[in-house]
Amino acid sequence: MRMPSLPQGLAARAARGAGQLSQKLGRGGGTTIPGLLLNRLRPEATAEMARSVSGGVILLSGTNGKTTTARLVRAALDANGARVVANTAGSNLERGVATALLNADGAEVALFEVDEAALPGLMAQTKPRVVTLMNLFRDQLDRYGELEHLVDRWRTAVAELDPAATVIYNADDPAVAEIVARHPNTVSYGIEDPRVGRDRLPHAADTTECRNCGAALHYEMVTIAHLGRWSCPECGLARVQPDVRATRVELHGLDGQRLSIATPQGPIELSLRLPGMHNSYNALAATATSVALDLAPGAIGPALAKREAAFGRAERTQVGKVKVTTLLAKNPAGANENIRTMLLEDHPLHLLVLLNDRTADGQDVSWIWDVDYELLLDSDRLASLTVGGDRGYDMALRFRYAGFDPERLSVVPSVSAGLNAALKASETDGYLYVLPTYTALLEFQAVLAERGLVPAFWEDE
């Protein structure tokens, strides 16, 4: 028998109390327990609270880049003086959104990064003003299933969206472009600069067939995985010219990049501290979202330029004599871009690769076989390699098959001990790159916090 809903005020007070207790007991940051309890006590609470935000709800989702893009959009909103509520701790399921809304405190705009699988449900509940759809790559197959499953769910959710809502989408992703094709109110974005294009699809490409007729897609230019300038030679379906487009992309390794962006409101020149072409796309998604929100074009570039890397996304920490850069690597598309970004550096590469297979990572680690680790070996730049985590030996096997000399490879399952080994190996050159999966990133951050090198980061309860 289902319990009746508690009155909204009573349910909210109980949920806030649970969060405060969680923090007092040191069990976490109170980013999920309040929302979880609130949804139990009053299932309609998320929808009710979303309706109370006068300027509407913005939802951002995609396999890669949603945390960084949400931070960039938040910077643009802040620069325009908007009062914003957001799930800044990265708790991106319904319970995290509900927790954030509990603390809206008269916010004018609600901005949420949303898990790909949670997006359809949250779209139905929050009735968003803007939805930003960034990309769809293979990720956590044991949780999401094959990519087609997410594509179908997103398509249904967009079809049920209010026609007045604006959908921002990545025109370079054929799957995302097809999902929004019939929605009447869209803003597209993509990369136009041919200098950063590649001439063929990588092994890790996912959407390579026309979603209209099933024929193999033709690519005039490839950027990341299956993203790029695509068309179908059979039925004529093709990528549109994006409304917001990067006409010039200058990548400067881990120091960042410069972008020239064309928008309907005029050009934007952007110096971004965030490295890699994946962050070029994140900046474009944030710019397109800001344009759709009618933010002042002159303020968008400077606001985005101030943002530094999000947690674990090209974060830099000085550890003794070694500069440690952390690059979250949780699926083939993201890991490949990390590798290409590191190869733009001009010094020997020392790596600590941490592979876990816990729930938040996805228990299927077969994705490591689709990562182009061979690029590191072909460049002869890999000076030392330490692997660890729960599945460190699987990663060691992957590098062994790639052709890396096993005598030069260290397997240290413990994150703390692995860091010590990698630091020792990289001390002479002074640079270390850490590539962890999500829960390994949390462990790594905890080790740095224990050593007094960074502040503690609360893991979701």
Side-chain angles (χ1 to χ4, degrees):
M1 182 177 176
R2 184 176 175 178
M3 291 179 58
S5 294
L6 287 182
Q8 185 177 11
L10 181 59
R13 284 195 296 274
R16 290 191 187 99
Q20 292 164 1
L21 182 61
S22 173
Q23 290 177 324
K24 273 187 180 179
L25 296 176
R27 296 294 302 273
T31 59
T32 62
I33 279 182
L36 189 63
L37 179 60
L38 180 64
N39 287 330
R40 289 283 184 90
L41 298 176
R42 189 172 179 84
E44 62 271 37
T46 298
E48 291 171 338
M49 292 186 297
R51 286 197 297 270
S52 71
V53 180
S54 60
V57 173
I58 307 162
L59 303 181
L60 301 96
S61 191
T63 306
N64 290 345
K66 47 190 176 284
T67 298
T68 297
T69 302
R71 285 170 58 88
L72 293 172
V73 174
R74 175 66 184 270
L77 287 166
D78 288 345
N80 278 264
R83 295 196 305 274
V84 183
V85 61
N87 53 342
T88 52
S91 183
N92 58 22
L93 300 175
E94 183 186 345
R95 55 189 181 238
V97 170
T99 298
L101 284 168
L102 272 171
N103 302 302
D105 294 328
E108 299 168 307
V109 180
L111 169 66
F112 302 123
E113 63 158 291
V114 179
D115 173 88
E116 306 94 285
L119 179 65
L122 280 166
M123 284 173 65
Q125 290 190 72
T126 63
K127 309 297 182 189
R129 170 187 172 188
V130 173
V131 179
T132 300
L133 305 179
M134 299 171 58
N135 49 63
L136 282 172
F137 300 121
R138 227 173 336 140
D139 189 40
Q140 297 190 43
L141 292 178
D142 56 298
R143 177 169 171 244
Y144 296 127
E146 289 296 336
L147 199 59
E148 290 294 327
H149 177 62
L150 275 178
V151 171
D152 290 342
R153 292 192 63 201
W154 276 25
R155 187 190 299 109
T156 300
V158 170
E160 295 172 352
L161 194 62
D162 185 338
T166 303
V167 178
I168 317 298
Y169 76 96
N170 187 346
D172 292 357
D173 189 322
V176 173
E178 187 270 339
I179 286 168
V180 306
R182 293 175 180 82
H183 189 74
N185 188 11
T186 63
V187 177
S188 58
Y189 67 89
I191 291 178
E192 290 284 279
D193 189 350
R195 298 173 309 132
V196 295
R198 297 151 191 165
D199 57 2
R200 62 179 183 272
L201 288 167
H203 177 63
D206 295 311
T207 302
T208 59
E209 296 180 348
C210 176
R211 305 198 61 81
N212 185 43
C213 70
L217 291 173
H218 168 73
Y219 280 81
E220 184 180 339
M221 180 179 83
V222 177
T223 52
I224 297 173
H226 58 265
L227 307 187
R229 198 177 301 165
W230 54 271
S231 63
C232 176
E234 295 296 325
C235 71
L237 184 69
R239 167 193 182 265
V240 301
Q241 184 184 52
D243 301 305
V244 175
R245 53 195 180 275
T247 56
R248 186 175 182 83
V249 179
E250 296 178 5
L251 301 174
H252 302 304
L254 284 157
D255 292 327
Q257 58 187 286
R258 287 187 60 85
L259 298 172
S260 298
I261 303 175
T263 81
Q265 283 75 30
I268 293 174
E269 295 295 324
L270 175 59
S271 292
L272 197 64
R273 300 184 187 186
L274 310 175
M277 208 183 315
H278 53 302
N279 279 313
S280 307
Y281 276 109
N282 295 338
L284 283 170
T287 301
T289 303
S290 301
V291 166
L293 293 169
D294 295 322
L295 302 186
I300 294 173
L304 270 57
K306 293 177 182 177
R307 272 298 186 200
E308 296 184 349
F311 173 58
R313 283 83 169 173
E315 272 190 310
R316 292 183 173 183
T317 308
Q318 191 70 34
V319 183
K321 299 178 181 179
V322 181
K323 181 178 288 186
V324 177
T325 303
T326 310
L327 298 160
L328 177 66
K330 64 188 183 70
N331 56 42
N336 282 340
E337 286 312 301
N338 286 339
I339 290 169
R340 289 184 170 89
T341 300
M342 288 188 297
L343 287 173
L344 293 175
E345 299 294 283
D346 59 1
H347 48 253
L349 300 177
H350 298 268
L351 264 61
L352 170 60
V353 185
L354 302 171
L355 179 65
N356 282 355
D357 61 351
R358 302 174 196 176
T359 301
D361 307 297
Q363 295 175 322
D364 182 347
V365 298
S366 63
W367 62 269
I368 63 174
W369 295 91
D370 288 327
V371 179
D372 296 331
Y373 294 114
E374 285 78 4
L375 291 174
L376 294 166
L377 277 61
D378 292 344
S379 68
D380 199 29
R381 300 277 305 287
L382 189 52
S384 74
L385 174 63
T386 307
V387 297
D390 300 342
R391 300 294 290 269
Y393 285 97
D394 293 76
M395 186 58 75
L397 182 64
R398 172 67 184 90
F399 274 98
R400 179 69 182 89
Y401 270 88
F404 191 69
D405 182 358
E407 297 297 321
R408 298 170 53 209
L409 188 153
S410 299
V411 183
V412 187
S414 162
V415 172
S416 182
L419 174 60
N420 290 340
L423 287 171
K424 183 177 180 181
S426 59
E427 193 170 24
T428 300
D429 292 311
Y431 296 91
L432 172 65
Y433 300 93
V434 182
L435 278 65
T437 54
Y438 184 67
T439 64
L441 170 62
L442 295 174
E443 287 186 82
F444 178 71
Q445 185 79 1
V447 168
L448 294 182
E450 287 170 4
R451 299 182 185 187
L453 298 168
V454 298
F457 184 88
W458 287 113
E459 181 180 0
D460 293 345
E461 303 91 323

